[in-house]
Amino acid sequence: MNGVSIRKRSTLYRKSAATIRWLHIYLSMLGFTALMFFSLTGITLNHPTWFGASEQRIVDEDGQLPVDWMEEDSAAGINQLMIAEHLRQEHSLRGRVTEFETSEFDVMVVFKSPGYAADVFINRDDGRYTVTTITSGVVSIMNDLHKGRDSGPGWSILIDASAVILMLFSISGFALLLYLKRRRLNGIVVATLGTIAMIAVWGIWVH
């Protein structure tokens, strides 16, 4: 009876180890691109001047809208969609409209996407407006994607999913270590030292 019990435990042990190993391998493949992207952009965020992320291209333009577009409907106000889409097509603006503010004298419209911003100021008296477009390079776009800035709900979901995958990848790696008797203690010691080092850096140089 004891022999049967031991064999069952041994079989369960091998199956669980194989399952965790399989999970760890395929989580690493699934999260490979996300891990490389967020690791790389962690460096570019920490050292923006190294890679030209602070460089920007600024373009100023102007134009004019029909004055009657500036008139407010008593129920709906100014037709924001019509104005925003006209500006987008006229000046090849991109990104989402993140601000549309109306005052007695002017209207401000802001378009944003990662590494990109366009500010539009419209004079309500005569319909004349100015457009200031600020465009950054690839590194700045990547940095904004890392932070989820102006990247929309779809990218936000991707960030959350990537975080979950990478956490599961780390947990499965730690769990796999527990099956390696010869390396178990050393691995736990290294993980503990890494945790202590991180807390120490925060406590000494940041806190």
Side-chain angles (χ1 to χ4, degrees):
M1 192 71 180
N2 288 336
V4 174
S5 178
I6 291 172
R7 283 197 299 272
K8 285 184 177 179
R9 286 200 299 268
S10 178
T11 301
L12 180 61
Y13 180 88
R14 288 196 302 271
K15 286 184 177 179
S16 61
T19 300
I20 292 174
R21 187 182 301 110
W22 178 90
L23 185 63
H24 184 69
I25 290 172
Y26 285 98
L27 281 172
S28 70
M29 294 300 98
L30 183 61
F32 174 79
T33 301
L35 178 60
M36 296 301 294
F37 174 80
F38 287 107
S39 297
L40 175 62
T41 50
I43 297 174
T44 59
L45 275 170
N46 205 30
H47 304 281
T49 58
W50 289 7
F51 305 96
S54 58
E55 297 177 3
Q56 296 179 329
R57 179 173 177 266
I58 302 175
V59 176
D60 293 316
E61 299 177 279
D62 55 37
Q64 185 161 8
L65 295 174
V67 177
D68 58 354
W69 286 16
M70 299 298 105
E71 297 176 359
E72 294 192 43
D73 183 276
S74 58
I78 291 179
N79 192 326
Q80 298 183 7
L81 179 61
M82 180 175 63
I83 293 174
E85 290 308 308
H86 175 84
L87 292 169
R88 190 189 299 278
Q89 294 177 12
E90 188 73 15
H91 299 279
S92 300
L93 305 182
R94 64 176 190 263
R96 298 179 302 124
V97 175
T98 58
E99 294 181 56
F100 197 113
E101 297 184 4
T102 304
S103 72
E104 182 180 352
F105 305 103
D106 58 20
V107 174
M108 180 183 73
V109 189
V110 178
F111 297 79
K112 285 189 176 181
S113 68
Y116 176 89
D119 299 329
V120 184
F121 292 92
I122 309 169
N123 188 312
R124 295 189 65 177
D125 290 333
D126 56 14
R128 295 193 62 81
Y129 64 83
T130 60
V131 182
T132 300
T133 304
I134 303 174
T135 308
S136 303
V138 175
V139 174
S140 182
I141 294 173
M142 291 170 60
N143 287 347
D144 282 350
L145 287 172
H146 181 107
K147 294 180 284 188
R149 176 182 293 172
D150 305 315
S151 52
W155 186 261
S156 178
I157 293 172
L158 179 65
I159 290 176
D160 291 340
S162 299
V164 171
I165 290 170
L166 296 179
M167 283 190 291
L168 291 174
F169 168 64
S170 297
I171 293 170
S172 64
F174 197 95
L176 192 59
L177 174 68
L178 301 180
Y179 287 88
L180 305 175
K181 294 181 179 180
R182 294 182 180 180
R183 296 183 175 86
R184 183 188 303 164
L185 180 59
N186 289 341
I188 293 174
V189 169
V190 170
T192 302
L193 289 175
T195 303
I196 293 172
M198 188 172 181
I199 295 173
V201 169
W202 172 76
I204 296 171
W205 287 289
V206 180
H207 184 61

